[in-house]
Amino acid sequence: MNMFLHELKVYRKSTIAWTLALVALVILFLSMFPSISKEAESFKKLLEGFPEALRVAIGLSVENIGSILGFYSYIFLYISLVGAVQAMILGMSIVSKEIREKTADFLLTKPVTRTQILTSKILAAFTSIVFTNVFYIVAATAMASVVETKEYSIKTFLLLSLTLFFLQLIFLALGIIVSVVVPRIKSVLSISLGTVFAFFIMGAVASTTGDTAVRYITPFQYFDFAYIVQNSSYEYPFMIAAIGFIAVAITASYFVYSKRDIHAL
Amino acid sequence: MNVIEINNLTKYYGKERGIIDVSFNVEEKEIFAFIGPNGAGKSTTLRTLLALIYPTSGSAKIFGKDCIKHGPEIKKEIGYLPSEVFYYDKMKVIDLLNYSASFYQKDCGKRIKELTEIMDLDLHKNIDDLSFGNKKKVGIVQGLLHDPKLIILDEPTSGLDPLMQQKFFELLQEENKKGATILFSSHILGEVQRLCDRVAIIKEGKIIQLEKISALQENNYKKIKVETTANMDEDYFNIEGVSNLEVKQNIISFLFRGNINSIMKKISEIEIINVWIEEPDLEEIFLHYYEKGA
């Protein structure tokens, strides 16, 4: 418990900052919605001028842009990008920070097992992600109800918003496994940004090919927003893939971390 | 009773040598020093005892329990001071110490107060703002606050001024009197002499000597310096038992181990102006261990 609280405190400031950024972003995006939906027809015409491949790559389906769900699923791509960066940085930090800031000796010579240490750290990171998502969803839902006057499915809106949480969990797990496998990480930020953007671009490319198998490669393609809007549910094979990846990454992290040598400097 | 038992401990970092076949015991209430130059394997040995790194082969027991398997349990009674102390720098000293104390199921508040007073440490400063020496003090308090039965220190005195070093040694001696066993590493031999009962010397990953400090000093080593009237043949004193021979014009100095009469005869055969015969300090005795083959 002491370690959990300590870790939580360490990430408190950055979690609040990221949460505020995501909330600000969704408010900003959704505030554009009324003017876009008013001009939906002319906007559609403008967009139809774009090459189709580009539209598909950036996740734009022209028909839906005038409805809140269509608009939201379009802007959500960018919100999930920001969320993925937050989660990846967090995941990579929890172990590598101890090595980089040379505090590993302090923690690992205390009467605790490495499993306890990693568990506390993962739980603290998980809690931070939950915190972010609670505030994000409240802000997004509130903002959506302000800008959209017509009826829309709250359930679908929540399903879309919750993909942020799942996506963040995937990137958190990815960050953790990277940070326990790579012996010394100099810059968490550059590796996190690089990885997330690489997956993001792969996602954009994958959506132009329309190949299902390719979609398994990048977490950004695990949640097809158009599918969610149409069916009000997730695609289960991809949910299973996501859960499977998280489970394997976390288990492997425990294994590697408990066998690892902690070197002097 | 042995507090620490190390049996054929070997550690390779990939192909690189860490330590090879290290074996020694540390008895209860002993102050044991582990001496060697940088890179000899001192830290490797200590870090293996603390299960920070895993041995390639061999094993070590602390309080009779395997140091890897029962690591978390035995660490309740171990205080550790790493060679370089770095702590969560955004914390205040008192917060760090309380965090450290929170790992042990006992109230350490009183002890923290005592120790910080002895160490003259400001509890309400940010760790970030502390000098290296002051960070070291935080490390010392952090290592002792739970009254450990075994204290392991890696290069404990680097960065402390002589006055603080003195206080720190007194503190360690006090802990020792109360029943704590102390194992520390150092490359400064002068420290060892003052503090410890036994010493192991490690070189290139292997233990090369294990002795009582008193035995080492009584080992009939004499430090001899002779000033002669005329310049001498350099090899005049190069007889059996002489080491570290140095000739500077008409001043000759060396260490001698063996029958004192033979060297006295040698000295009596030449014209001398002055002679000094002293007990050498350990540094001088050990010097030749390091130099051999180096």
Side-chain angles (χ1 to χ4, degrees):
Chain A
M1 197 64 184
N2 55 348
M3 283 187 283
F4 171 75
L5 292 176
H6 174 81
E7 291 295 320
L8 214 52
K9 224 177 181 176
V10 169
Y11 296 107
R12 188 178 51 192
K13 269 189 195 151
S14 77
T15 303
I16 291 172
W18 280 102
T19 306
L20 288 178
L22 281 166
V23 165
L25 202 59
V26 74
I27 288 174
L28 178 74
F29 275 136
L30 286 178
S31 67
M32 294 176 197
F33 175 70
S35 54
I36 285 175
S37 76
K38 219 191 289 166
E39 310 284 329
E41 285 311 310
S42 54
F43 203 71
K44 271 183 201 169
K45 276 213 185 83
L46 174 77
L47 291 175
E48 268 157 15
F50 287 12
E52 199 191 336
L54 178 71
R55 274 186 277 146
V56 177
I58 62 173
L60 198 57
S61 63
V62 174
E63 309 78 54
N64 293 327
I65 197 84
S67 77
I68 185 80
L69 292 176
F71 179 75
Y72 186 56
S73 56
Y74 166 58
I75 60 151
F76 196 75
L77 193 61
Y78 301 97
I79 285 168
S80 58
L81 178 67
V82 174
V85 172
Q86 177 200 0
M88 179 97 186
I89 290 177
L90 187 59
M92 282 187 68
S93 299
I94 59 172
V95 173
S96 73
K97 204 175 161 67
E98 302 280 347
I99 307 286
R100 210 173 36 259
E101 295 179 1
K102 301 155 188 178
T103 49
D105 277 12
F106 172 84
L107 205 52
L108 289 163
T109 52
K110 295 282 178 270
V112 285
T113 63
R114 294 200 188 181
T115 307
Q116 286 169 323
I117 292 172
L118 196 58
T119 305
S120 310
K121 284 174 171 289
I122 291 176
L123 282 181
F126 181 78
T127 309
S128 302
I129 296 287
V130 169
F131 174 90
T132 299
N133 278 274
V134 167
F135 279 85
Y136 171 78
I137 287 177
V138 168
T141 315
M143 191 63 190
S145 67
V146 169
V147 295
E148 175 62 295
T149 44
K150 282 177 253 160
E151 283 270 308
Y152 67 97
S153 162
I154 295 275
K155 184 191 169 197
T156 308
F157 187 85
L158 288 178
L159 280 178
L160 282 173
S161 302
L162 263 178
T163 60
L164 176 67
F165 181 59
F166 296 121
L167 198 71
Q168 286 197 307
L169 290 188
I170 296 171
F171 276 99
L172 183 69
L174 183 66
I176 292 169
I177 183 79
V178 169
S179 78
V180 296
V181 169
V182 180
R184 194 163 297 177
I185 295 168
K186 290 247 164 61
S187 168
V188 166
L189 189 67
S190 54
I191 298 180
S192 302
L193 283 178
T195 314
V196 171
F197 278 107
F199 278 122
F200 189 74
I201 290 162
M202 266 194 267
V205 174
S207 59
T208 58
T209 64
D211 188 346
T212 322
V214 178
R215 286 183 57 202
Y216 282 100
I217 299 171
T218 164
F220 284 105
Q221 287 290 311
Y222 282 18
F223 304 98
D224 180 346
F225 302 135
Y227 179 93
I228 298 170
V229 171
Q230 263 171 28
N231 300 290
S232 252
S233 80
Y234 297 136
E235 289 168 280
Y236 288 102
F238 287 99
M239 280 305 274
I240 291 164
I243 292 165
F245 172 75
I246 293 169
V248 169
I250 297 291
T251 314
S253 300
Y254 272 105
F255 191 75
V256 174
Y257 188 62
S258 58
K259 294 272 170 253
R260 174 173 169 174
D261 282 347
I262 307 294
H263 294 294
L265 303 144
Chain B
M1 200 192 98
N2 289 328
V3 169
I4 302 177
E5 287 173 39
I6 304 179
N7 295 313
N8 306 100
L9 204 61
T10 299
K11 173 71 182 176
Y12 278 91
Y13 299 105
K15 280 197 175 149
E16 220 175 298
R17 182 263 314 154
I19 47 174
I20 302 162
D21 238 0
V22 167
S23 299
F24 65 85
N25 295 336
V26 179
E27 286 160 28
E28 195 174 7
K29 295 188 185 175
E30 191 171 32
I31 303 184
F32 192 99
F34 200 40
I35 303 297
N38 293 330
K42 300 181 303 265
S43 289
T44 300
T45 310
L46 299 187
R47 296 176 78 78
T48 312
L49 287 176
L50 289 154
L52 287 167
I53 56 179
Y54 295 104
T56 309
S57 66
S59 66
K61 281 181 182 172
I62 296 178
F63 309 126
K65 289 173 183 154
D66 187 88
C67 72
I68 304 291
K69 226 185 274 169
H70 300 279
E73 192 190 331
I74 57 184
K75 281 179 206 164
K76 282 180 195 164
E77 299 293 350
I78 298 179
Y80 172 61
L81 176 68
S83 57
E84 285 182 73
V85 280
F86 293 95
Y87 294 119
Y88 305 94
D89 37 353
K90 281 175 193 136
M91 289 174 97
K92 284 196 172 130
V93 174
I94 184 70
D95 293 332
L96 180 99
L97 294 176
N98 283 336
Y99 182 43
S100 182
S102 71
F103 285 90
Y104 306 98
Q105 270 93 34
K106 49 175 118 172
D107 181 23
C108 308
K110 198 171 144 240
R111 190 72 184 132
I112 290 176
K113 223 174 146 203
E114 281 172 21
L115 288 167
T116 46
E117 265 163 29
I118 298 172
M119 285 279 119
D120 192 19
L121 196 60
D122 186 349
L123 281 174
H124 297 285
K125 267 198 176 160
N126 267 337
I127 293 184
D128 218 6
D129 302 334
L130 295 180
S131 66
F132 182 78
N134 276 326
K135 277 186 190 163
K136 195 103 193 175
K137 288 187 202 168
V138 177
I140 293 165
V141 177
Q142 179 272 135
L144 298 179
L145 56 82
H146 55 293
D147 292 309
K149 284 192 191 133
L150 171 63
I151 303 169
I152 297 179
L153 313 113
D154 199 353
E155 301 278 354
T157 49
S158 62
L160 285 183
D161 59 61
L163 205 68
M164 217 59 235
Q165 193 170 320
Q166 185 59 38
K167 266 189 190 175
F168 177 43
F169 281 170
E170 281 164 16
L171 195 63
L172 285 180
Q173 271 159 341
E174 217 174 278
E175 289 293 313
N176 181 241
K177 262 184 219 144
K178 283 197 289 182
T181 308
I182 298 173
L183 167 63
F184 71 99
S185 76
S186 179
H187 62 275
I188 303 166
L189 302 159
E191 292 177 6
V192 173
Q193 207 167 352
R194 287 163 53 196
L195 200 61
C196 66
D197 308 318
R198 270 200 312 155
V199 56
I201 299 153
I202 186 166
K203 188 187 167 191
E204 286 163 16
K206 289 179 184 161
I207 299 278
I208 52 172
Q209 179 102 339
L210 190 70
E211 257 187 284
K212 280 198 170 142
I213 282 287
S214 50
L216 272 174
Q217 277 166 322
E218 287 161 10
N219 221 333
N220 243 341
Y221 273 100
K222 297 287 172 206
K223 181 183 168 186
I224 300 174
K225 194 159 87 171
V226 185
E227 192 179 359
T228 57
T229 49
N231 282 0
M232 292 288 309
D233 174 15
E234 283 195 18
D235 281 334
Y236 181 75
F237 281 110
N238 204 352
I239 58 168
E240 210 191 311
V242 167
S243 59
N244 298 15
L245 182 63
E246 246 177 76
V247 182
K248 272 183 202 151
Q249 289 175 332
N250 59 341
I251 295 181
I252 303 154
S253 59
F254 53 86
L255 287 180
F256 178 75
R257 181 190 188 182
N259 186 342
I260 195 79
N261 293 306
S262 65
I263 199 74
M264 293 313 289
K265 265 184 205 144
K266 207 79 177 141
I267 295 172
S268 69
E269 280 166 18
I270 52 170
E271 281 290 307
I272 59 171
I273 299 172
N274 209 341
V275 62
W276 298 262
I277 301 178
E278 296 168 349
E279 290 295 318
D281 56 28
L282 287 175
E283 200 131 357
E284 288 162 302
I285 298 175
F286 287 143
L287 216 54
H288 69 273
Y289 282 118
Y290 294 156
E291 281 169 350
K292 252 185 249 162

